[in-house]
C-alpha cells in the first residue's frame, strides 16, 4: 500500500515524464555535448550514429558497410542532388533558427541530397528489410506513425510526439489526416528513393503543409510560400533529430525526416 505522499510523488513523476518514449533513452540533439575540433561533417556523423567510424575519409557503419566521405564539388545543385557524396549532404547548412529567409535562395535544400546506399545500409536495403524493423509511435488519439527501430529513430519519434502533446498550443490539426510515414517509393517526379522508404520520414496534415510540386512552382524557382506549421512543433522535432522540409527551397512543409547529423553539423558550424 502506498502512502499518500508516495502516491503523489509517483503521480508527479508520471505527469512529468510522458508515457511514450520516456524510458527509451532518446537524445536531445540541441543540448547533447559536442566534441571540439575536427571536421564538422565527420564529427556530426560520428555523434549522430554511434558506432560509425571515419578514418582518412573512409566511413564504416556499425554493420560493416563502408563509404567514402568524398568531396563537396562546385557542380550544379541539380547534379549534386541526383548523386551526392556523403560530404555534399552537408553542402547547405541546415538553419536552426525558425527563419524562412534562407530557403528563398534557389536550391538551398539542406537534407534533400541523400546517398541512397548509405541510408539503405543504415535502415534496410529492401522494402521487406525496412518493414521488418518498423515500430509504432503514436500521438494521443490522433495518429500512429511507423518508424524504423534502427539507430533509435522510433524512440526519438515517440519522445518527440510526447513532447508535442505537452505543448501549450493546439497541435491537433497538424496531426489530423496525416500524410503518413513508411512507404517504399520514389520521390514524386524522380527515380530517387524517398526518405519515407527507410522509415525515417513522416508527413503531417498535407492540407496545412504546402509542397512546391503542388504549387505550380518551377524547380529552382520555388519562391516564398505561406507556412502554417507552428515554430513550436518544428522545434520539438528538430530537438529529437528530425529536420523539416519547410526550410527547403523546394519546400515540403508537411515533411520531417530523421537527420540528426544535419542538426549537429549546424550546431558545430555555428561555433
Ligand atoms: Zn514526406
Amino acid at each position: 500500500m502506498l502512502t499518500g505522499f508516495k502516491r503523489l510523488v509517483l503521480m508527479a513523476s508520471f505527469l512529468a515524464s510522458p508515457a511514450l518514449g520516456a524510458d527509451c533513452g532518446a537524445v536531445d540533439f540541441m543540448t547533447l555535448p559536442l566534441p571540439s575540433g575536427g571536421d564538422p561533417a565527420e564529427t556530426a556523423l560520428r555523434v549522430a550514429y554511434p558506432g560509425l567510424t571515419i578514418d582518412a575519409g573512409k566511413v564504416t557503419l556499425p554493420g560493416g558497410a563502408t563509404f567514402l566521405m568524398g568531396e563537396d564539388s562546385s557542380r550544379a545543385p541539380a547534379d549534386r542532388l541526383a548523386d551526392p557524396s556523403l560530404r555534399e549532404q552537408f553542402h547547405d547548412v541546415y538553419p536552426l533558427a525558425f527563419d524562412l529567409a534562407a530557403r528563398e535562395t534557389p536550391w538551398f535544400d539542406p537534407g534533400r541530397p541523400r546517398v541512397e546506399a548509405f541510408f539503405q545500409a543504415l535502415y534496410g536495403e529492401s522494402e521487406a528489410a525496412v518493414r521488418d524493423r518498423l515500430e509504432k509511435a503514436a500521438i494521443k488519439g490522433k495518429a500512429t506513425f511507423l518508424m524504423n527501430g534502427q539507430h533509435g529513430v522510433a524512440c526519438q519519434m515517440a519522445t518527440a510526439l510526447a513532447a508535442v502533446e505537452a505543448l501549450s498550443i493546439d497541435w491537433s490539426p497538424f496531426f489530423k489526416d496525416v500524410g503518413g510515414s513508411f512507404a517504399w517509393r520514389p520521390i514524386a517526379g524522380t527515380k530517387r528513393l524517398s526518405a519515407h522508404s527507410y522509415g525515417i520520414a513522416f508527413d503531417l496534415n498535407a492540407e496545412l503543409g504546402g509542397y512546391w510540386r503542388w504549387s505550380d512552382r518551377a524547380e529552382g524557382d520555388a519562391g516564398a510560400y505561406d507556412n502554417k506549421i507552428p515554430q513550436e512543433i518544428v522545434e520539438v522535432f528538430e530537438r529529437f533529430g528530425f529536420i523539416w522540409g519547410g526550410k527547403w527551397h523546394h519546400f515540403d512543409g508537411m515533411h520531417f525526416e530523421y537527420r540528426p547529423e544535419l542538426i549537429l553539423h549546424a550546431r558545430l558550424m555555428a561555433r
Side-chain angles (χ1 to χ4, degrees), residues 180-181 185 194-196 201-204 252 254-257:
S181 46
R185 61 167 168 80
S194 150
H196 290 272
F202 61 94
D203 296 328
L204 298 183
D252 188 350
M254 69 190 117
H255 178 92
F256 291 81
E257 71 182 71

Side-chain angles (χ1 to χ4, degrees), residues 42 45-46 49-55 57-62 65 67:
E42 294 188 0
L45 281 171
R46 280 195 200 96
Y49 305 101
L52 177 155
T53 59
I54 308 179
D55 182 26
K58 189 174 128 187
V59 179
T60 306
L61 296 192
F67 300 86

Side-chain angles (χ1 to χ4, degrees), residues 48-251:
Y49 305 101
L52 177 155
T53 59
I54 308 179
D55 182 26
K58 189 174 128 187
V59 179
T60 306
L61 296 192
T66 59
F67 300 86
L68 294 178
M69 276 303 283
E71 297 302 316
D72 186 355
S73 66
S74 52
R75 58 197 174 134
D79 296 338
R80 196 164 55 229
L81 195 60
D83 180 26
S85 68
L86 277 184
R87 187 166 294 282
E88 282 173 324
Q89 292 188 162
F90 298 91
H91 179 87
D92 296 322
V93 181
Y94 183 80
L96 294 176
F98 193 76
D99 175 0
L100 300 187
R103 61 155 297 283
E104 295 202 28
T105 302
W107 296 97
F108 179 84
D109 293 316
R112 274 182 93 222
R114 300 178 196 91
V115 177
E116 276 193 12
F118 178 76
F119 289 95
Q120 290 190 20
L122 281 174
Y123 297 113
E125 287 173 2
S126 65
E127 176 170 5
V130 175
R131 202 175 276 284
D132 270 357
R133 293 164 171 171
L134 296 176
E135 294 174 13
K136 283 182 188 165
I139 188 157
K140 216 164 43 184
K142 275 286 171 193
T144 300
F145 300 90
L146 287 172
M147 307 298 288
N148 204 307
Q150 295 286 102
H151 304 290
V153 184
C155 166
Q156 295 295 122
M157 180 67 171
T159 308
L161 291 175
V164 169
E165 284 178 15
L167 289 174
S168 56
I169 59 164
D170 180 14
W171 48 265
S172 60
F174 305 96
F175 290 84
K176 188 171 164 268
D177 302 327
V178 293
S181 46
F182 169 70
W184 187 271
R185 61 167 168 80
I187 299 165
T190 80
K191 290 199 172 96
R192 291 178 287 121
L193 273 180
S194 150
H196 290 272
S197 307
Y198 314 120
I200 62 170
F202 61 94
D203 296 328
L204 298 183
N205 185 343
E207 300 259 306
L208 301 173
Y211 181 43
W212 73 278
R213 275 186 196 279
W214 298 345
S215 314
D216 263 343
R217 309 295 175 86
E219 194 169 24
D221 189 19
Y225 76 99
D226 181 19
N227 170 53
K228 297 188 180 67
I229 308 292
Q231 177 173 357
E232 291 89 338
I233 290 180
V234 172
E235 287 177 351
V236 162
F237 284 115
E238 288 176 344
R239 187 146 56 88
F240 291 104
F242 295 86
I243 60 161
W244 176 46
K247 290 182 177 176
W248 295 342
H249 180 73
H250 297 94
F251 58 93

Side-chain angles (χ1 to χ4, degrees), residues 1-12:
M1 196 61 192
L2 293 173
T3 64
F5 174 69
K6 271 188 186 156
R7 206 177 308 143
L8 203 68
V9 170
L10 264 181
M11 222 161 74

